[in-house]
PDB file of all heavy atoms in Angstrom:
ATOM      1  N   VAL I 324      10.684  19.559  -3.548  1.00 85.00           N
ATOM      2  CA  VAL I 324       9.248  19.984  -3.783  1.00 85.00           C
ATOM      3  C   VAL I 324       8.754  20.887  -2.752  1.00 85.00           C
ATOM      4  O   VAL I 324       8.017  21.896  -2.977  1.00 85.00           O
ATOM      5  CB  VAL I 324       8.220  18.853  -4.236  1.00 85.00           C
ATOM      6  CG1 VAL I 324       8.022  18.002  -3.144  1.00 85.00           C
ATOM      7  CG2 VAL I 324       6.945  19.441  -4.917  1.00 85.00           C
ATOM      8  N   GLY I 325       9.006  20.529  -1.484  1.00 80.00           N
ATOM      9  CA  GLY I 325       8.594  21.323  -0.351  1.00 80.00           C
ATOM     10  C   GLY I 325       9.173  22.836  -0.275  1.00 80.00           C
ATOM     11  O   GLY I 325       8.572  23.537   0.367  1.00 80.00           O
ATOM     12  N   GLU I 326      10.168  22.983  -1.120  1.00 80.00           N
ATOM     13  CA  GLU I 326      10.749  24.347  -1.078  1.00 80.00           C
ATOM     14  C   GLU I 326      10.282  25.135  -2.308  1.00 80.00           C
ATOM     15  O   GLU I 326      10.577  26.398  -2.294  1.00 80.00           O
ATOM     16  CB  GLU I 326      12.327  24.217  -1.244  1.00 80.00           C
ATOM     17  CG  GLU I 326      13.024  23.371  -0.082  1.00 80.00           C
ATOM     18  CD  GLU I 326      14.469  23.054  -0.596  1.00 80.00           C
ATOM     19  OE1 GLU I 326      15.013  23.739  -1.501  1.00 80.00           O
ATOM     20  OE2 GLU I 326      15.065  22.124   0.066  1.00 80.00           O
ATOM     21  N   MET I 327       9.509  24.521  -3.193  1.00 80.00           N
ATOM     22  CA  MET I 327       9.058  25.284  -4.369  1.00 80.00           C
ATOM     23  C   MET I 327       7.821  26.012  -4.064  1.00 80.00           C
ATOM     24  O   MET I 327       7.048  25.831  -3.020  1.00 80.00           O
ATOM     25  CB  MET I 327       8.786  24.250  -5.505  1.00 80.00           C
ATOM     26  CG  MET I 327       9.911  23.396  -5.987  1.00 80.00           C
ATOM     27  SD  MET I 327       9.323  22.248  -7.277  1.00 80.00           S
ATOM     28  CE  MET I 327       8.867  23.329  -8.632  1.00 80.00           C
ATOM     29  N   SER I 328       7.672  27.195  -4.737  1.00 74.00           N
ATOM     30  CA  SER I 328       6.606  28.059  -4.537  1.00 74.00           C
ATOM     31  C   SER I 328       5.401  27.632  -5.438  1.00 74.00           C
ATOM     32  O   SER I 328       5.482  27.310  -6.538  1.00 74.00           O
ATOM     33  CB  SER I 328       7.025  29.620  -5.090  1.00 74.00           C
ATOM     34  OG  SER I 328       8.047  29.910  -4.211  1.00 74.00           O
ATOM     35  N   GLU I 329       4.252  27.895  -4.723  1.00 66.00           N
ATOM     36  CA  GLU I 329       3.015  27.491  -5.437  1.00 66.00           C
ATOM     37  C   GLU I 329       2.708  28.773  -6.322  1.00 66.00           C
ATOM     38  O   GLU I 329       3.097  29.807  -6.121  1.00 66.00           O
ATOM     39  CB  GLU I 329       1.939  27.139  -4.560  1.00 66.00           C
ATOM     40  CG  GLU I 329       1.992  25.797  -3.871  1.00 66.00           C
ATOM     41  CD  GLU I 329       0.811  25.495  -3.038  1.00 66.00           C
ATOM     42  OE1 GLU I 329      -0.263  25.096  -3.608  1.00 66.00           O
ATOM     43  OE2 GLU I 329       0.926  25.740  -1.755  1.00 66.00           O
ATOM     44  N   GLY I 330       1.734  28.590  -7.154  1.00 56.00           N
ATOM     45  CA  GLY I 330       1.338  29.698  -8.068  1.00 56.00           C
ATOM     46  C   GLY I 330       1.898  29.726  -9.459  1.00 56.00           C
ATOM     47  O   GLY I 330       2.690  28.807  -9.690  1.00 56.00           O
ATOM     48  N   THR I 331       1.491  30.563 -10.301  1.00 53.00           N
ATOM     49  CA  THR I 331       1.937  30.410 -11.612  1.00 53.00           C
ATOM     50  C   THR I 331       3.338  31.178 -11.846  1.00 53.00           C
ATOM     51  O   THR I 331       3.762  31.883 -10.951  1.00 53.00           O
ATOM     52  CB  THR I 331       0.976  31.359 -12.553  1.00 53.00           C
ATOM     53  OG1 THR I 331       1.143  32.697 -12.267  1.00 53.00           O
ATOM     54  CG2 THR I 331      -0.450  30.811 -12.437  1.00 53.00           C
ATOM     55  N   ILE I 332       4.029  30.690 -12.796  1.00 54.00           N
ATOM     56  CA  ILE I 332       5.362  31.105 -13.126  1.00 54.00           C
ATOM     57  C   ILE I 332       5.282  32.678 -13.452  1.00 54.00           C
ATOM     58  O   ILE I 332       6.286  33.512 -12.951  1.00 54.00           O
ATOM     59  CB  ILE I 332       5.989  30.456 -14.378  1.00 54.00           C
ATOM     60  CG1 ILE I 332       6.224  28.894 -13.887  1.00 54.00           C
ATOM     61  CG2 ILE I 332       7.294  30.976 -14.754  1.00 54.00           C
ATOM     62  CD1 ILE I 332       6.470  28.030 -15.056  1.00 54.00           C
ATOM     63  N   ASN I 333       4.338  33.017 -14.205  1.00 50.00           N
ATOM     64  CA  ASN I 333       4.315  34.520 -14.551  1.00 50.00           C
ATOM     65  C   ASN I 333       4.066  35.450 -13.408  1.00 50.00           C
ATOM     66  O   ASN I 333       4.620  36.470 -13.221  1.00 50.00           O
ATOM     67  CB  ASN I 333       3.120  34.784 -15.538  1.00 50.00           C
ATOM     68  CG  ASN I 333       3.416  34.249 -16.901  1.00 50.00           C
ATOM     69  OD1 ASN I 333       4.233  34.882 -17.639  1.00 50.00           O
ATOM     70  ND2 ASN I 333       2.872  33.162 -17.279  1.00 50.00           N
ATOM     71  N   LEU I 334       3.324  34.902 -12.352  1.00 44.00           N
ATOM     72  CA  LEU I 334       3.038  35.641 -11.194  1.00 44.00           C
ATOM     73  C   LEU I 334       4.352  35.743 -10.322  1.00 44.00           C
ATOM     74  O   LEU I 334       4.679  36.830  -9.704  1.00 44.00           O
ATOM     75  CB  LEU I 334       1.923  34.883 -10.280  1.00 44.00           C
ATOM     76  CG  LEU I 334       1.614  35.606  -8.829  1.00 44.00           C
ATOM     77  CD1 LEU I 334       1.129  37.073  -9.199  1.00 44.00           C
ATOM     78  CD2 LEU I 334       0.585  34.843  -8.324  1.00 44.00           C
ATOM     79  N   ALA I 335       5.129  34.721 -10.286  1.00 45.00           N
ATOM     80  CA  ALA I 335       6.400  34.695  -9.539  1.00 45.00           C
ATOM     81  C   ALA I 335       7.239  35.784 -10.144  1.00 45.00           C
ATOM     82  O   ALA I 335       8.129  36.298  -9.500  1.00 45.00           O
ATOM     83  CB  ALA I 335       7.004  33.229  -9.578  1.00 45.00           C
ATOM     84  N   ARG I 336       7.341  35.765 -11.604  1.00 46.00           N
ATOM     85  CA  ARG I 336       8.168  36.625 -12.252  1.00 46.00           C
ATOM     86  C   ARG I 336       7.921  38.144 -11.846  1.00 46.00           C
ATOM     87  O   ARG I 336       8.786  38.912 -11.694  1.00 46.00           O
ATOM     88  CB  ARG I 336       8.107  36.480 -13.755  1.00 46.00           C
ATOM     89  CG  ARG I 336       8.857  35.284 -14.272  1.00 46.00           C
ATOM     90  CD  ARG I 336       8.753  35.140 -15.670  1.00 46.00           C
ATOM     91  NE  ARG I 336       9.565  33.997 -16.241  1.00 46.00           N
ATOM     92  CZ  ARG I 336       9.239  33.321 -17.343  1.00 46.00           C
ATOM     93  NH1 ARG I 336       8.173  33.666 -18.063  1.00 46.00           N
ATOM     94  NH2 ARG I 336       9.852  32.246 -17.777  1.00 46.00           N
ATOM     95  N   ARG I 337       6.534  38.380 -11.794  1.00 41.00           N
ATOM     96  CA  ARG I 337       6.194  39.797 -11.582  1.00 41.00           C
ATOM     97  C   ARG I 337       6.636  40.144 -10.116  1.00 41.00           C
ATOM     98  O   ARG I 337       7.038  41.228  -9.796  1.00 41.00           O
ATOM     99  CB  ARG I 337       4.692  39.895 -11.583  1.00 41.00           C
ATOM    100  CG  ARG I 337       4.166  39.956 -13.092  1.00 41.00           C
ATOM    101  CD  ARG I 337       2.919  40.754 -13.157  1.00 41.00           C
ATOM    102  NE  ARG I 337       1.912  40.157 -12.376  1.00 41.00           N
ATOM    103  CZ  ARG I 337       1.101  39.321 -12.769  1.00 41.00           C
ATOM    104  NH1 ARG I 337       1.123  38.862 -14.016  1.00 41.00           N
ATOM    105  NH2 ARG I 337      -0.003  38.911 -11.973  1.00 41.00           N
ATOM    106  N   ARG I 338       6.529  39.208  -9.244  1.00 38.00           N
ATOM    107  CA  ARG I 338       6.949  39.407  -7.785  1.00 38.00           C
ATOM    108  C   ARG I 338       8.502  39.660  -7.769  1.00 38.00           C
ATOM    109  O   ARG I 338       8.975  40.577  -7.051  1.00 38.00           O
ATOM    110  CB  ARG I 338       6.772  38.141  -6.973  1.00 38.00           C
ATOM    111  CG  ARG I 338       5.377  37.947  -6.595  1.00 38.00           C
ATOM    112  CD  ARG I 338       5.144  36.732  -5.865  1.00 38.00           C
ATOM    113  NE  ARG I 338       3.801  36.421  -5.568  1.00 38.00           N
ATOM    114  CZ  ARG I 338       3.142  35.189  -5.246  1.00 38.00           C
ATOM    115  NH1 ARG I 338       3.998  34.190  -5.339  1.00 38.00           N
ATOM    116  NH2 ARG I 338       1.967  35.116  -4.887  1.00 38.00           N
ATOM    117  N   GLN I 339       9.231  39.077  -8.616  1.00 41.00           N
ATOM    118  CA  GLN I 339      10.746  39.248  -8.670  1.00 41.00           C
ATOM    119  C   GLN I 339      10.955  40.544  -9.201  1.00 41.00           C
ATOM    120  O   GLN I 339      11.940  41.350  -8.706  1.00 41.00           O
ATOM    121  CB  GLN I 339      11.424  38.104  -9.521  1.00 41.00           C
ATOM    122  CG  GLN I 339      11.429  36.641  -8.799  1.00 41.00           C
ATOM    123  CD  GLN I 339      11.981  35.649  -9.785  1.00 41.00           C
ATOM    124  OE1 GLN I 339      12.156  35.921 -10.982  1.00 41.00           O
ATOM    125  NE2 GLN I 339      11.927  34.518  -9.260  1.00 41.00           N
TER     126      GLN I 339
END
Side-chain angles (χ1 to χ4, degrees):
V324 66
E326 304 167 18
M327 295 179 68
S328 299
E329 288 185 80
T331 66
I332 294 169
N333 285 289
L334 181 60
R336 281 179 179 157
R337 285 208 301 272
R338 285 173 182 157
Q339 288 173 355

